[in-house]
Amino acid sequence: MIDLEKATLAFRTLLSEQLQRVADIDTTKTDFSKKEKITVGLIDGDGIGPIIMKQAERVLNKLLSNEIAEGKIVLKRIEGLTLENRLQTKKAVPDDVLSEIKKCDVILKGPTSTPMGGNLESANVALRRELDLYANVRPISIPKENIDWVFFRENTEGEYVLGSRGIDIEGLSVDFKVTTDVGTERIARAAFDYAKNNGKKYVSVVTKANIMKKTDGRFTRICHEVAKDYPDISVDDWYIDIMTANLVNPEIRSKFQVFLLPNLYGDIITDEAAQLQGGVGTAGSANLGDRYAMFEAIHGSAPRMIEEGLGEYANPESILRATVMLLRHICLFDKANALENALDSCHIKVTGTKDGAKCQAYGDIITESL
Ligand code: IPM
Ligand code: MG
C-alpha cells in the first residue's frame, strides 16, 4: 500500500517506461525462407501442458525427421518454465529460461499456470513482452457454416502490459490500459496484410471506444488510418459487447472474416469463438513478432482437469493446430498442410472427460496418418 504522492510518482515512471518501450521497438524481420538452420524451442508448461506437448513433440519428430537429420531444424527442449520454479525465483520467466528461449527462433509452448492475484506475472504475458510478440493470431473455422474467422489480437499493450503494475492506495486500486500509435499500427498492418494476401475482403475493428475513449479511441483511429493503404478491403467498427452477441447469431456470423482488436477483448472473444468451433481444446494460437514467434494452445493449463484426474483426456488438437501455424511461419508449407489435413480428417472425439478419447490415442492416429 502506498500513499498518494508515491502513487503519482509510480504513474510517472510507468508513463516514461512505456514511451521508452515504444521507442526501442526493433522492426527488423526474420526471413525464415532464407534461414539455413531453424531452432524450435519446446516448452512443456504446467497442468495439462506436458501431456499435450508430448503428442506435439512426437508429431514434429515424425514430420520433420529428414530436416532434423540434415540439421536444418533443431528441436530444443527448454526446461524450467514451471509454476514451481517461477514461484521460487519470483520471476514470471526465470532468467536462465529466458536466455535459452532467446537462443531459439520459434517456440512451441504448453500452457503455463498463473496464480490469481498476488504479484507473479503470467509467463505468457512476460514472454509476449520480452520477445515483443505483438500479433496474437487465432484462426477459427466451422466449415459446415462457412465460417472462416481470423482474430488479430494486439498482444503487447492494452490491459496486459501493466497488468501486474497497477496501484493500490488505501481503499482504492487502479490498473492501467495502454494504447500506442506504433503498437496499434503494427497489429493493424498485420491484419490488413493477412486479409490482402489471403483473399479476405472485410476487416472488423472491435473495441469499446464509446467508453474507453482514449485508448480504444486511438486504436480505432489508427486502424482506419492504416485501412486507407488497403482500398480493396472494407473495414467497419463494432463494440465488443454486440460482437460477442454476433458470434452466436447464426444469421450473420459467417459474414465476418478478419477481426482486429485490443488485447483483453481479443482474449475473451477468442475463447468464445473457439467454443463455437468445438471447444477451446480445438484451437491454436500464434504469437508473432518480427524476430521471434511463439505458438501455443488457446487455453490455459486446466488445473481442474489435473485435480479431477482427467489429465490424460486433455485434447492435443489445440497444440497441434498451433504446430500447423508454426510450420507455416517457418515456411514449411507442405508439412503444415500435411498436419492440417491429418487433423481435419481425424474423427475421434477428445472431450476432456472420460466419455472422450485419450490424448495419447489422438496422437497415435495423427502420427500414424502422417
Ligand atoms: C490466452 C490466455 C492468456 C491471456 C493467459 C494464460 C495469460 O488466456 O492466451 O488467451 O490472457 O492472454
Ligand atoms: Mg485467453
Side-chain angles (χ1 to χ4, degrees):
M1 219 60 85
I2 55 177
D3 63 24
L4 202 53
E5 221 42 55
K6 282 200 187 131
T8 317
L9 277 176
F11 183 49
R12 191 178 197 291
T13 308
L14 294 180
L15 287 176
S16 59
E17 279 177 17
Q18 287 307 301
L19 289 170
Q20 195 57 49
R21 174 180 64 80
V22 174
D24 289 346
I25 285 176
D26 179 358
T27 57
T28 321
K29 289 194 168 38
T30 309
D31 183 351
F32 286 102
S33 67
K34 299 211 171 77
K35 260 186 138 317
E36 275 167 15
K37 182 180 125 191
I38 297 172
T39 305
V40 180
L42 303 174
I43 302 178
D44 272 354
D46 308 300
I48 61 170
I51 301 169
I52 58 174
M53 275 299 289
K54 189 170 168 198
Q55 302 312 318
E57 202 173 340
R58 260 177 100 190
V59 162
L60 279 174
N61 272 308
K62 169 125 191 226
L63 204 55
L64 303 179
S65 56
N66 290 338
E67 289 75 8
I68 293 170
E70 291 161 6
K72 286 185 185 153
I73 300 281
V74 177
L75 299 184
K76 177 182 159 81
R77 294 206 109 260
I78 295 175
E79 310 291 342
L81 195 68
T82 57
L83 181 59
E84 201 186 9
N85 211 4
R86 284 183 286 133
L87 285 171
Q88 203 194 341
T89 55
K90 296 197 174 64
K91 288 248 171 178
V93 181
D95 295 341
D96 54 335
V97 178
L98 185 60
S99 75
E100 287 305 298
I101 289 175
K102 286 189 170 171
K103 290 180 194 155
C104 302
D105 297 293
V106 294
I107 302 286
L108 186 67
K109 177 185 146 302
T112 42
S113 302
T114 310
M116 208 188 268
N119 286 326
L120 188 69
E121 191 187 30
S122 143
N124 268 41
V125 175
L127 283 173
R128 289 167 184 169
R129 183 186 57 243
E130 293 297 329
L131 307 178
D132 202 23
L133 309 174
Y134 60 85
N136 188 198
V137 184
R138 299 183 156 177
I140 294 293
S141 128
I142 310 174
K144 67 175 189 302
E145 275 199 58
N146 216 8
I147 288 175
D148 187 16
W149 297 327
V150 183
F151 293 83
F152 281 78
R153 161 189 177 191
E154 200 295 315
N155 213 22
T156 45
E157 302 196 338
E159 303 77 357
Y160 280 64
V161 61
L162 297 176
S164 304
R165 307 277 305 277
I167 291 176
D168 269 329
I169 58 176
E170 188 61 42
L172 170 84
S173 298
V174 180
D175 281 319
F176 302 102
K177 167 163 173 166
V178 180
T179 300
T180 68
D181 288 358
V182 176
T184 308
E185 185 179 338
R186 60 183 185 169
I187 184 68
R189 285 213 183 276
F192 281 99
D193 281 341
Y194 171 84
K196 187 176 161 186
N197 297 333
N198 291 276
K200 303 289 179 196
K201 294 280 171 230
Y202 177 31
V203 173
S204 305
V205 179
V206 186
T207 66
K208 189 74 182 174
N210 50 340
I211 305 300
M212 303 303 291
K213 292 184 189 288
K214 295 287 179 273
T215 48
D216 285 357
R218 184 180 293 263
F219 190 91
T220 304
R221 178 161 49 77
I222 301 289
C223 289
H224 282 275
E225 278 169 22
V226 169
K228 289 186 195 140
D229 292 340
Y230 302 81
D232 297 337
I233 296 166
S234 67
V235 55
D236 62 3
D237 284 296
W238 296 85
Y239 294 134
I240 182 65
D241 46 355
I242 190 61
M243 190 51 99
T244 59
N246 290 344
L247 295 199
V248 287
N249 180 349
E251 302 293 313
I252 62 167
R253 62 185 175 189
S254 65
K255 77 170 182 183
F256 296 107
Q257 296 183 335
V258 176
F259 300 81
L260 169 54
L261 63 186
N263 209 336
L264 183 60
Y265 311 137
D267 175 42
I268 296 167
I269 205 170
T270 52
D271 269 15
E272 184 196 17
Q275 192 59 41
L276 294 168
Q277 175 180 260
V280 291
T282 66
S285 167
N287 301 271
L288 310 179
D290 290 328
R291 165 124 166 63
Y292 296 104
M294 178 173 83
F295 300 81
E296 58 187 353
I298 201 176
H299 54 76
S301 59
R304 241 181 293 237
M305 285 185 73
I306 299 294
E307 274 161 34
E308 291 167 16
L310 294 173
E312 58 188 327
Y313 293 91
N315 194 352
E317 184 179 348
S318 53
I319 198 78
L320 293 171
R321 293 275 172 200
T323 307
V324 172
M325 285 191 268
L326 182 153
L327 293 167
R328 237 168 235 147
H329 187 76
I330 58 175
C331 301
L332 295 177
F333 301 106
D334 293 347
K335 305 286 178 186
N337 293 342
L339 178 54
E340 189 165 52
N341 290 338
L343 294 171
D344 288 345
S345 49
C346 177
H347 290 306
I348 68 162
K349 278 254 169 289
V350 186
T351 59
T353 67
K354 289 188 177 155
D355 301 335
K358 288 187 177 172
C359 186
Q360 169 90 23
Y362 190 96
D364 288 346
I365 292 187
I366 299 297
T367 336
E368 275 154 28
S369 69
L370 289 172

